[in-house]
């Protein structure tokens, strides 16, 4: 499976992936028109659909409704073993509602009277060389999520501190491995990602602080994922080293995922 299959939208810089939930959360924190947000989030996808208990909507319609009623927004990137802050759905209105952990991402919306979760179901079509994506967002009402989010994810300042530590750990782990044994494409990919920045023209205008944290977090996430692929494939010298490296890189991934979530949280003032 290629990285494009994973449901993110590829930045021009070193194939850094931005999950759709992250992109949508960032755009919803701005005052951009609904159609502009929908265009940016959909990218090269087919037009997104949304399934709610009230029926099927297009993305722009839901965005317009969100802009009039939502007060807070955030994205999460849960994985098996790390489901911190994922709220409990109150209405499983649709038999095909995907699990946020299976999807690897979700969008959280908070209002005065209700809280929502939107989980994208991404289906690829076409061939390996010429493909597209059909995306259906499943929207359900959930329990109040902000308290758990702040408790598990923390503030942007806390994320920045953990990212600095994560960068040190990632660098140390990678340097401790015998790089000569790594596949050339992995070494080249990590070298490119070290200096990568989010320069995607479809990113909204957010504060430099949020952008810097997000850029470092997605870069760390991509580096750790590449390194994990190679340690799993025999890049480490022995089993002990592979286990030690894998544990360290998984912790870097956890920090990166939570930092991305922290960077997406916004209280909307309109």
């Amino acid at each position: 499976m290629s990285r494009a299959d994973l449901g993110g939208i590829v930045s021009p810089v070193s194939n850094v992936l931005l999950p759709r939930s992250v992109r949508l959360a960032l755009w919803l924190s701005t005052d951009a028109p609904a159609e502009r947000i929908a265009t940016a989030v959909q990218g090269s996808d087919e037009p997104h659909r949304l399934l709610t208990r009230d029926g099927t909507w297009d993305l722009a319609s839901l965005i317009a409704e969100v802009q009039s009623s939502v007060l807070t927004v955030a994205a999460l990137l849960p994985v098996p073993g790390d489901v911190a802050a994922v709220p409990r759905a109150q209405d499983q209105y649709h038999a095909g509602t995907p699990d946020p952990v299976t999807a690897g991402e979700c969008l959280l919306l908070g209002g005065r009277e209700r809280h929502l979760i939107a989980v994208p179901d991404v289906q690829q079509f076409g061939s390996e060389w010429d493909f597209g994506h059909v995306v259906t967002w499943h929207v359900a009402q959930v329990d109040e999520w902000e308290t758990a989010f702040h408790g598990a994810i923390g503030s942007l300042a806390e994320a920045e501190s953990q990212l600095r530590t994560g960068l040190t750990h990632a660098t140390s782990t990678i340097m401790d491995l015998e790089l000569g044994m790594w596949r050339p494409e992995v070494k080249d990919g990590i070298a490119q990602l070290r200096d990568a920045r989010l320069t995607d023209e479809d990113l909204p205008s957010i504060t430099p602080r949020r952008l810097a944290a997000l850029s470092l977090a997605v870069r760390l996430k991509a580096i750790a994922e590449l390194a994990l692929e190679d340690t799993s494939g025999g890049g480490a010298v022995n089993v002990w080293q592979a286990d030690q490296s894998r544990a360290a890189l998984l912790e870097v991934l956890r920090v990166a995922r939570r930092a991305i979530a922290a960077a997406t949280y916004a209280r909307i003032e309109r």
Side-chain angles (χ1 to χ4, degrees):
M1 180 178 287
S2 70
R3 291 182 179 276
D5 297 335
L6 301 180
I9 295 179
V10 182
S11 161
V13 181
S14 300
N15 289 336
V16 173
L17 292 174
L18 289 178
R20 293 171 177 84
S21 297
V22 171
R23 182 176 291 255
L24 183 51
L26 293 173
W27 274 100
L28 286 175
S29 68
T30 73
D31 59 359
E35 290 291 346
R36 173 70 181 99
I37 295 176
T39 298
V41 173
Q42 288 169 170
S44 61
D45 296 338
E46 294 296 304
H48 290 193
R49 294 189 312 147
L50 295 103
L51 293 181
T52 74
R53 62 182 179 182
D54 299 321
T56 304
W57 307 74
D58 60 61
L59 185 57
S61 296
L62 182 73
I63 291 170
E65 181 178 340
V66 163
Q67 289 179 321
S68 66
S69 60
V70 167
L71 302 177
T72 53
V73 61
L76 286 174
L77 303 178
V79 297
D82 185 13
V83 297
V86 176
R88 182 179 65 87
Q90 296 178 353
D91 54 344
Q92 294 294 335
Y93 58 89
H94 190 274
T97 300
D99 182 348
V101 179
T102 302
E105 61 175 300
C106 62
L107 176 75
L108 302 178
L109 304 168
R112 290 187 177 87
E113 299 181 355
R114 61 177 181 164
H115 301 267
L116 302 174
I117 187 170
V119 184
D121 176 28
V122 182
Q123 299 295 327
Q124 181 174 310
F125 64 89
S127 69
E128 181 180 351
W129 301 275
D130 183 16
F131 58 85
H133 294 98
V134 174
V135 180
T136 302
W137 294 83
H138 296 256
V139 183
Q141 191 163 329
V142 294
D143 295 335
E144 186 275 327
W145 55 264
E146 284 190 70
T147 302
F149 182 92
H150 292 306
I153 303 302
S155 66
L156 184 59
E158 291 169 327
E160 289 170 327
S161 175
Q162 292 181 7
L163 279 172
R164 287 190 290 270
T165 302
L167 181 60
T168 300
H169 285 330
T171 302
S172 175
T173 299
I174 290 168
M175 293 302 294
D176 285 344
L177 296 173
E178 289 192 8
L179 298 185
M181 298 184 67
W182 288 28
R183 288 172 293 151
E185 65 270 23
V186 173
K187 290 197 296 183
D188 292 344
I190 290 175
Q192 293 174 18
L193 286 165
R194 285 187 183 123
D195 298 321
R197 293 292 185 274
L198 291 177
T199 59
D200 191 330
E201 63 182 9
D202 278 336
L203 279 176
S205 177
I206 57 178
T207 65
R209 185 180 183 184
R210 288 176 73 197
L211 181 61
L214 183 67
S215 177
L216 177 55
V218 297
R219 183 159 49 103
L220 267 179
K221 180 174 178 291
I223 287 173
E225 287 171 343
L226 267 180
L228 277 167
E229 287 179 10
D230 214 47
T231 56
S232 298
V237 173
N238 53 49
V239 173
W240 180 86
Q241 185 183 38
D243 288 344
Q244 293 294 106
S245 300
R246 182 174 178 80
L249 290 168
L250 285 174
E251 176 60 17
V252 171
L253 270 179
R254 185 192 69 82
V255 167
R257 286 194 306 270
R258 296 192 182 194
I260 291 170
T264 65
Y265 176 82
R267 180 166 290 278
I268 303 171
E269 298 180 2
R270 294 190 174 96

